[in-house]
Amino acid sequence: MPIEFRCPQCNRLLRTGDDTAGFQAKCPECGSTMTIPNQSAPPPPLPGSGTPFSTTPPTGAPTGDPANPYQSPGDFGPAQPTAGYYPDASAYAAQRVAGPAIALMVTAGISILLALVGMVGAIVVLAAGQGGQGMQGPFPWAMDPAVSLAQSLFGLGMAVLILFGAMKMKALQNYNLSMAVSIIAMIPCISPCCLLGLPFGIWALVVLTDQTVKSAFRA
C-alpha cells in the first residue's frame, strides 16, 4: 500500500511505495528535503497550523541522491533541519524578537545622541548667561535653556531605558519590561526619537503578543 504524505513546506500531496519509509525525499514542487513517514504516521501539519517549530529529522536517516527523491538509500549522514522549522520554542522566539529588538536598540542609540547634543547646547547657553531673556512666542518658557536641559535629561533617561529593555528582549528576558519599552518608544514627547520608535514599537508589540514568543521568555 503506498504511503501518502504532504510536503511541510508547500503542502503538495506526495505518494511513494511503503518500502521507502524513513528515507530522505526531495519535494518535486518546492525542492525541500524531508523524511518519508511510516505508513501509520500522521501527515505533517499544514503550513500555518500547529506549532511553528518542530524537532529536527532523526539523525542517521539515509540521504540518497537529492535529484531522485525516492531512490534507495546511499550513504548515511546527519540529517539537516527542515527549512522554516525550529528545534524548540526558544529558537523560534529568538528569531522573532531579534529584528524589533535590534531596531529599538538603534532607535535608543540615536535618541541618546540627540539627548546629549541637546544637553550640551543647553549648558552652553546657560554658561553664557543668556537664560530665557528675550524669548518670544506663546510659550517662551519652552525655549528656556534650563527647560531644554531638563527635557534632554529626561529624554536621555528614556533612551537608556529603551536600550536596556531592548537588550533584555533580545535575550528573551523580562517580558514585562520588553512590553513597556515597546510602548514607551511609540509615545511622542516621551520617546526622544518617536518617528522611528512608533513603527518599531508596533513591530515589537506584534511579536511579543505571539503566545509562543511570550512563553519562551524567562521572567
Side-chain angles (χ1 to χ4, degrees), residues 64-130:
D65 182 3
N68 186 353
Y70 306 127
Q71 76 164 30
S72 299
D75 296 333
F76 286 76
Q80 299 298 321
T82 305
Y85 283 73
Y86 305 88
D88 52 36
S90 295
Y92 168 78
Q95 190 273 335
R96 290 293 311 277
V97 303
I102 293 174
L104 288 177
M105 290 182 201
V106 173
T107 301
I110 296 174
S111 299
I112 291 173
L113 179 61
L114 293 176
L116 291 175
V117 171
M119 289 173 58
V120 171
I123 292 173
V124 169
V125 173
L126 286 173
Q130 297 182 16

Side-chain angles (χ1 to χ4, degrees), residues 45-55 84-86 88-89 92 212:
L46 301 180
S49 65
T51 58
F53 50 87
S54 68
T55 57
Y85 283 73
Y86 305 88
D88 52 36
Y92 168 78
T212 304

Side-chain angles (χ1 to χ4, degrees), residues 3 10 14 21 27 33 37 45 74 89 115 120 131 137 139 145 153 156 186:
I3 299 175
C10 67
L14 305 175
C27 177
T33 303
V120 171
F139 305 104
L153 285 171
L156 179 62
M186 300 187 299

